[in-house]
Amino acid sequence: MRDLSVSCSAGYLNSTPLLDLNYVEDSAGGADVTVGILPKLDKVTLLQLPMETFETVFALASEGCKAIAERVRKVLQENTKQLEYRRLQKKVTETELADEITVVCNGMEGAYIRKFHVIECKCGSCGAKKQSPCEWEQHTGCRAKKWKYSVKVKGTMLTLEKWDIRSGDDALFAGR
């Protein structure tokens, strides 16, 4: 989505400029304009008005549209953040009980097997070899030498260590 299309009206009542006129104000006979804009692009999409009052009323209506767009954007951002958080929580919950989970390190995928605390490589060149997380991290070409931070659960961006602790199996990491 490039921009929101928003519109509102503005006009005069007794020489006072008003934004978003109601029926009584609009029926009083003062000049009014209805404006639709794309606020980010500052492009007009709708314009209905008598020409003698164009500049003042148009500016007021344009500012009203921008205020509406800002409010809509804010609500959309809040809702998007909540949805993102819920999706992440759902992914974490779905993976918490798994005995085997797909992990990623340095762009390479593997299958972490909790029961044995090993990762089965999916690269194809090593024949699905099972390795410790430290060995697999080196096999992927990662130079960090900190598998607890570099090996992540695919789809959640949680480190393998954080995922395993959240799953209630922090004993696996004792002394490692």
Side-chain angles (χ1 to χ4, degrees):
M1 178 168 66
R2 290 185 179 176
D3 207 349
L4 297 169
S5 178
V6 292
S7 63
C8 67
S9 62
Y12 281 98
L13 181 63
N14 300 329
S15 302
T16 304
L18 297 174
L19 179 62
D20 198 23
L21 292 100
N22 63 30
Y23 177 77
V24 174
E25 294 164 340
D26 191 36
S27 301
D32 65 277
V33 62
T34 302
V35 176
I37 66 167
L38 300 172
K40 277 181 154 179
L41 301 173
D42 210 19
K43 301 283 182 184
V44 177
T45 58
L46 170 71
L47 182 60
Q48 296 174 335
L49 76 148
M51 287 307 291
E52 61 273 5
T53 57
F54 173 73
E55 287 183 8
T56 307
V57 177
F58 176 77
L60 181 61
S62 184
E63 289 305 311
C65 288
K66 288 177 184 177
I68 291 169
E70 186 57 36
R71 177 67 181 137
V72 169
R73 270 193 202 94
K74 187 175 181 180
V75 170
L76 285 173
Q77 284 176 338
E78 289 170 6
N79 289 342
T80 301
K81 285 179 185 176
Q82 288 176 2
L83 182 60
E84 237 175 71
Y85 178 76
R86 288 181 187 142
R87 284 183 184 161
L88 178 62
Q89 292 301 357
K90 183 179 177 186
K91 284 182 182 179
V92 169
T93 303
E94 288 172 352
T95 60
E96 282 177 349
L97 302 175
D99 290 329
E100 188 175 299
I101 188 72
T102 302
V103 292
V104 179
C105 181
N106 204 28
M108 191 180 296
E109 286 189 15
Y112 173 66
I113 304 167
R114 279 181 81 175
K115 185 176 181 180
F116 302 109
H117 190 60
V118 295
I119 298 175
E120 181 179 344
C121 187
K122 302 288 184 183
C123 74
S125 65
C126 65
K129 183 179 176 184
K130 292 176 178 66
Q131 305 167 47
S132 72
C134 184
E135 292 169 332
W136 186 70
E137 177 192 42
Q138 290 173 351
H139 175 70
T140 66
C142 181
R143 296 182 182 176
K145 295 184 181 178
K146 295 180 181 181
W147 69 266
K148 289 182 180 183
Y149 301 101
S150 60
V151 178
K152 299 193 183 325
V153 176
K154 184 177 181 181
T156 67
M157 293 310 294
L158 283 173
T159 63
L160 182 57
E161 178 186 37
K162 284 185 181 175
W163 172 80
D164 228 356
I165 289 172
R166 281 186 174 193
S167 300
D169 211 356
D170 51 351
L172 282 175
F173 293 99
R176 293 185 187 196

